[in-house]
């Protein structure tokens, strides 16, 4: 990604990390988010010539999706400002100074209880209030991914992910990131993915990423071409799609055409029927959608002109069994009639 710029205030040849960041921001952040933030601080000393999200991902051994998630997280925390174009592509990052939290002093040198100089310590809110605040924060994150406001039922489901499925906040955020990335913002689909992860014992982002590698983005595009939404592909479907993509080397455009013809012919998403179409195309050397049109044209031409078919392919009809008997050249029908009358 070209044209990415970075700005902020930082000394040359040294990377300074504020105590405010260490004390109040770093502890709650995902380790990958911290890596990205620290690397951006490092780049303030000397911004690389090829500075881009792709380069950051390579340097930190992350994916561009990971980098994007980290940037959005720190923007939400108020540590940076992102500027993006109409397509949502980030083109500049401005690092902001970490917010200064109220300083504390001890009420008595021998007492370990800290007292704020600016305001009294808030009273304990309890686990329920903490969960409510976390849910509100996760709801805001989800709304950014889905680009709409969540309703109360969807907010409750996020709490269900956290309290009953025991998903961490990072895993819930990655859940939305994963589903949106593969092109599905439907909340029922997101819920089905969450349930699937829980059934497989997935509790961390790392485990979810490993599972996600089993489902390539093309798989969901093929399911969509079949009219299948709001679920992940089953193993048999994955086997078919993997064969079409990796063994047959078809583009998704060609596969989509086979899916549409399957629906038109059978009225339902039949992977076996689509496979028979694609197998036939493979045998005829089909590489692109334009090749399909040429094959169709030749097929229709043969149907319209049966005489033009290769005569060598026709099999001679077997002789009728009665031809094997010796036949008389002439029959005396008068004599036959007399014999019948006598009987």
């Amino acid at each position: 990604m070209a044209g990415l710029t970075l700005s902020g205030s930082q000394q040359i040849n040294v990377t300074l990390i504020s105590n405010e960041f260490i004390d109040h921001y770093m502890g709650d952040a995902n380790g990958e988010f911290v890596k990205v933030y620290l690397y951006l601080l490092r780049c303030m000393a000397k911004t690389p010539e090829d500075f881009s999200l792709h380069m950051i991902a390579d340097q930190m051994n992350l994916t561009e999706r990971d980098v994007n998630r980290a940037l959005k997280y720190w923007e939400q925390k108020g540590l940076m400002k992102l500027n993006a174009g109409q397509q949502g592509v980030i083109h500049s990052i401005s690092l902001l100074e970490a917010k200064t939290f109220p300083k504390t002093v001890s009420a008595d040198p021998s007492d370990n209880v800290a007292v704020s100089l600016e305001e009294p310590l808030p009273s304990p809110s309890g686990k329920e209030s903490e969960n409510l605040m976390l849910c509100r924060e996760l709801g805001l994150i989800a709304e950014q991914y889905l680009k709409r406001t969540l309703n109360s039922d969807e907010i409750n489901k996020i709490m269900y992910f956290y309290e009953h499925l025991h998903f961490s906040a990072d895993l819930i955020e990655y859940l939305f990131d994963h589903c949106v990335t593969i092109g599905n913002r439907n909340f029922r689909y997101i819920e089905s993915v969450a349930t699937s992860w829980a059934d497989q014992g997935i509790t961390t982002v790392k485990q979810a990423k490993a599972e996600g590698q089993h489902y390539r983005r093309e798989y969901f595009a093929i399911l969509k071409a079949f009219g299948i939404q709001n679920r992940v592909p089953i193993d048999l479907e994955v086997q078919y799609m993997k064969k079409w993509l990796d063994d047959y080397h078809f583009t998704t455009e060609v596969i989509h055409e086979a899916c549409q013809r399957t629906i038109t012919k059978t009225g339902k998403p039949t992977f076996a029927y689509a496979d028979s179409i694609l197998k036939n195309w493979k045998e005829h050397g089909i590489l692109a959608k334009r090749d399909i049109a040429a094959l169709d044209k030749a097929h229709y031409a043969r149907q319209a002109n049966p005489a033009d078919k290769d005569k060598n392919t026709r099999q001679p009809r077997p002789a009728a069994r009665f031809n094997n008997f010796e036949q008389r050249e002439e029959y005396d029908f008068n004599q036959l009639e007399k014999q019948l009358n006598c009987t």
Side-chain angles (χ1 to χ4, degrees), residues 75-114:
E75 182 182 41
Q76 183 188 17
K77 294 298 182 181
L79 291 185
M80 64 180 61
K81 181 179 180 182
L82 306 177
N83 295 310
Q86 294 182 350
Q87 302 297 326
V89 179
I90 299 172
H91 56 74
S92 68
I93 305 169
S94 298
L95 298 184
L96 306 177
E97 186 176 353
K99 176 183 177 182
T100 302
F101 282 72
K103 297 181 180 179
T104 59
V105 296
S106 177
D108 183 270
S110 61
D111 192 354
N112 290 327
V113 179

